[in-house]
Amino acid sequence: VQLQASGGGLVQTGGSLRLSCAASERIFRAYNIAWFRQVAGQERQIVAGVKWGGGSPYYADYVKDRVTITRENDKNTVDLMMNNLEPEDTAIYYCAAGSVLGRLAIQYDYWGQGTLVTVSS
């Protein structure tokens, strides 16, 4: 398995969740990794991303100040800490790896299986 997402669950409005994307050594050391989310019937939208070599992460405007993406080099994971969650954040969250840190799903080569986040009102 190249990428495996975990950490989803049910949380109340205002709550927090930490998602984790476990990557293979090859992927983690050479690819940029991003988190996307998808609601049924809609396209996947980027949440945040981080380059394999470090540098400033990318955050989508609609989640800025509510999420933090971090690379855990000792665990080969890319974690997404989400705070102050809202019902509109309910979606399946996917991690993806690509040679560029793009904003579009089509720009990514590898995908994890997704983890469901449900935010109750």
Side-chain angles (χ1 to χ4, degrees):
V1 176
Q2 309 276 22
L3 295 170
Q4 188 162 7
S6 63
L10 174 64
V11 65
Q12 292 183 333
T13 296
S16 298
L17 276 178
R18 187 179 187 91
L19 307 183
S20 186
C21 177
S24 66
E25 181 83 16
R26 182 182 72 87
I27 295 291
F28 188 80
R29 299 298 172 193
Y31 285 81
N32 307 303
I33 294 179
W35 282 94
F36 282 77
R37 70 185 192 184
Q38 186 172 28
V39 175
Q42 298 182 17
E43 294 184 354
R44 290 184 186 183
Q45 60 177 172
I46 192 167
V47 179
V50 61
K51 293 184 178 181
W52 69 269
S56 298
Y58 168 80
Y59 295 102
D61 287 342
Y62 65 89
V63 294
K64 200 169 290 185
D65 298 329
R66 295 196 297 124
V67 305
T68 303
I69 188 170
T70 55
R71 285 175 59 92
E72 304 291 341
N73 293 326
D74 57 337
K75 295 186 290 184
N76 285 3
T77 63
V78 175
D79 294 348
L80 185 72
M81 184 68 201
M82 303 189 294
N83 299 308
N84 196 21
L85 286 163
E86 305 166 348
E88 292 74 22
D89 296 314
T90 295
I92 298 175
Y93 284 71
Y94 298 89
C95 58
S99 56
V100 296
L101 190 64
R103 301 182 183 183
L104 302 177
I106 197 173
Q107 295 174 289
Y108 290 80
D109 305 305
Y110 302 94
W111 290 86
Q113 83 286 7
T115 185
L116 176 62
V117 172
T118 303
V119 184
S120 63
S121 58

